Amino acid sequence: MEWGSVKKWIKHQPLDNIKEYFGAKIALYFAWLGFYTMMLIPASILGIIGVLYGWSTLSTDKISNGICDGNNTILMCPQCDKKCDFWWLNETCTSSKFNYIIDNNYTVFYALFMSIWAVLYLELWKRYSAKLIHRWGLTDFSSEVEHARPQYLERLKNAKCKRYNADANVLEPHPSFWRMKFPSYCLSYSIVLLFICIAIIAFCSLIVYRMAQRASRKIFSDESILLLPLTAGILDLIVITCLDYIYTNYLAIFLTNLEYRRTETEYQESLTIKNYLFQFFNYYSSLFYIAILKGKFVGYPKKYNRIFGFRQEECNPGGCLMELCIQLAIIMIGKQIVNEILELSLPYIRKTISRVKNTMGLARSAEEEKLLPCNQWMKIITCCLGQTIPSF
């Protein structure tokens, strides 16, 4: 594992050795990870240049200069219905400067570059992955000749309808689509849709939380301009992590097991689709809300649009970009931190629990543990297919 050391980050990955030891699937993952990291280098360099450009040209921004040089001459309406007073526009000087540093004239060029970068990334990765697949001799693989999963055969061992698979040269059970497959698909994706709605409802509850906080305090003051986005972002991260852990580790696998997926490829594709659909709404709903919807339907004095009696959220005079950056940083960085903590702590916790069980005499004895024979999969196939496997 010397290649996995941080000191070797500048070296090329030994993909051939990884493929020989872990298999082609793991090797392709490491190949994609290295390729993606390498492609991010020019994008990150240009992003840093954009921030430096905004910092160097900050004095030329008319909007931030107009806000900061107000000299307490522009009075703004209260930000909440109670306990809020009128406030001066120049109190948002810091946020307006921060917004310009990130969103300036250079941003247009950077957006154009990223659109071209995305296309190049996809095409170059297709070429690079095809090169690896050809080098490792995986071009002849076909899902049509892939063997059926043992779980699939075990589940359909009593099926009456069987068909001969000419590609795999075996007799396999054939479940009815309308009587067996279609109901399982409907049930599976209905529960996925239900969990997506739960994630959206949880996010909407955080919006109500922010509106309630906004109704009780002045959020554009120096002490509150970062406090509310930070607390809301942390709460959002906690909710996202809990829902993702329950869904990814338990519910998605359970729902995929309900479906009649014949091969391992079909099983993994179905599981990936379920995880992608849920995680898209779970992780990015708050970001889309802040970037697109927040502050667009607030109303005006004496006729504010309200939800549950609370005035809708509005961006500060400099825009919602600062809050969007805070939310994005909390979700992306916080997700990695939580994953690292779980990966490091769970094995230790399980080992501690096992040690406590052994000390208290609660662990299962060796006689109680049943080991499956090495040819158990052959027995399953024999039972399901009704064929006799010759002994060797």
Side-chain angles (χ1 to χ4, degrees):
M1 294 297 292
E2 185 180 356
W3 62 272
S5 175
V6 179
K7 299 179 181 179
K8 304 292 183 179
W9 67 271
I10 200 172
K11 303 292 183 180
H12 289 286
Q13 299 183 96
L15 297 177
D16 294 327
N17 295 337
I18 298 174
K19 183 256 180 183
E20 294 297 330
Y21 190 84
F22 293 103
K25 183 183 294 186
I26 303 298
L28 282 174
Y29 168 75
F30 277 100
W32 169 82
L33 192 62
F35 180 81
Y36 182 63
T37 304
M38 184 181 64
M39 288 291 294
L40 284 176
I41 293 177
S44 60
I45 292 175
L46 290 180
I48 294 174
I49 293 175
V51 174
L52 295 177
Y53 171 82
W55 183 272
S56 61
T57 60
L58 181 60
S59 59
T60 62
D61 181 40
K62 296 181 179 180
I63 297 178
S64 60
N65 290 335
I67 293 175
C68 297
D69 299 336
N71 296 324
N72 294 342
T73 58
I74 302 178
L75 194 63
M76 307 297 292
C77 295
Q79 295 300 317
C80 60
D81 297 329
K82 300 178 181 179
K83 300 181 181 180
C84 288
D85 198 359
F86 294 91
W87 56 283
W88 301 105
L89 180 61
N90 62 356
E91 294 180 11
T92 61
C93 176
T94 303
S95 62
S96 63
K97 290 181 178 180
F98 180 84
N99 290 332
Y100 176 77
I101 292 175
I102 298 178
D103 188 9
N104 47 64
N105 297 331
Y106 181 86
T107 309
V108 179
F109 164 76
Y110 189 70
L112 177 63
F113 167 79
M114 289 304 298
S115 61
I116 299 175
W117 176 90
V119 176
L120 290 176
Y121 161 73
L122 291 176
E123 296 301 324
L124 292 177
W125 166 245
K126 290 179 182 178
R127 183 174 181 177
Y128 182 60
S129 61
K131 177 182 176 181
L132 292 177
I133 291 174
H134 176 74
R135 188 171 76 190
W136 292 339
L138 303 176
T139 53
D140 295 333
F141 175 78
S142 176
S143 59
E144 296 180 356
V145 298
E146 187 177 358
H147 293 286
R149 299 167 54 242
Q151 298 88 341
Y152 173 84
L153 298 176
E154 173 67 17
R155 190 177 180 185
L156 296 174
K157 62 182 179 180
N158 297 324
K160 298 180 180 180
C161 181
K162 296 184 179 181
R163 291 184 180 180
Y164 179 74
N165 189 341
D167 296 322
N169 196 24
V170 292
L171 184 65
E172 295 181 353
H174 183 74
S176 173
F177 176 80
W178 293 106
R179 190 169 58 87
M180 301 180 69
K181 288 187 176 182
F182 183 74
S184 64
Y185 295 161
C186 291
L187 176 63
S188 177
Y189 284 96
S190 297
I191 297 177
V192 171
L193 181 61
L194 175 63
F195 228 71
I196 290 175
C197 294
I198 292 175
I200 295 176
I201 292 173
F203 162 69
C204 293
S205 64
L206 292 176
I207 296 178
V208 175
Y209 160 78
R210 286 198 291 257
M211 289 190 297
Q213 292 293 318
R214 182 176 177 274
S216 60
R217 68 183 65 185
K218 182 180 179 181
I219 65 170
F220 288 160
S221 59
D222 294 336
E223 63 274 8
S224 301
I225 197 169
L226 294 177
L227 179 61
L228 187 59
L230 283 175
T231 55
I234 293 174
L235 288 176
D236 193 18
L237 176 63
I238 295 174
V239 173
I240 287 174
T241 304
C242 294
L243 290 177
D244 182 67
Y245 182 81
I246 296 173
Y247 180 87
T248 304
N249 295 332
Y250 298 101
L251 185 60
I253 298 175
F254 172 76
L255 295 177
T256 309
N257 290 334
L258 291 179
E259 302 172 358
Y260 292 88
R261 300 296 179 179
R262 175 182 170 272
T263 63
E264 186 66 24
T265 301
E266 295 177 358
Y267 181 88
Q268 293 297 333
E269 288 178 352
S270 177
L271 182 62
T272 302
I273 291 174
K274 292 181 180 64
N275 289 333
Y276 172 78
L277 289 175
F278 175 75
Q279 291 177 358
F280 177 81
F281 288 94
N282 190 34
Y283 279 100
Y284 302 119
S285 295
S286 58
L287 300 179
F288 277 100
Y289 166 74
I290 296 174
I292 299 176
L293 298 178
K294 184 177 179 180
K296 302 299 188 296
F297 310 100
V298 177
Y300 52 89
K302 291 189 177 181
K303 194 176 181 181
Y304 288 108
N305 297 323
R306 300 176 183 272
I307 299 178
F308 300 115
F310 300 115
R311 283 168 50 179
Q312 293 188 28
E313 292 185 286
E314 56 183 292
C315 302
N316 61 56
C320 287
L321 190 59
M322 183 177 68
E323 184 176 351
L324 179 62
C325 293
I326 294 174
Q327 185 76 15
L328 184 63
I330 290 176
I331 291 178
M332 297 303 175
I333 300 176
K335 177 185 175 183
Q336 298 299 325
I337 294 175
V338 171
N339 289 338
E340 291 296 330
I341 292 175
L342 292 177
E343 289 179 1
L344 295 176
S345 61
L346 286 181
Y348 176 77
I349 294 174
R350 290 170 181 169
K351 184 178 180 180
T352 304
I353 294 175
S354 178
R355 187 185 300 112
V356 172
K357 286 183 177 180
N358 291 331
T359 304
M360 300 178 63
L362 300 177
R364 297 176 61 183
S365 61
E367 297 179 355
E368 296 177 351
E369 296 181 356
K370 297 181 180 180
L371 299 178
L372 293 176
C374 60
N375 61 344
Q376 180 67 23
W377 65 274
M378 299 178 65
K379 293 182 179 180
I380 295 175
I381 295 178
T382 304
C383 177
C384 296
L385 300 181
Q387 299 177 351
T388 302
I389 298 179
S391 58
F392 296 95

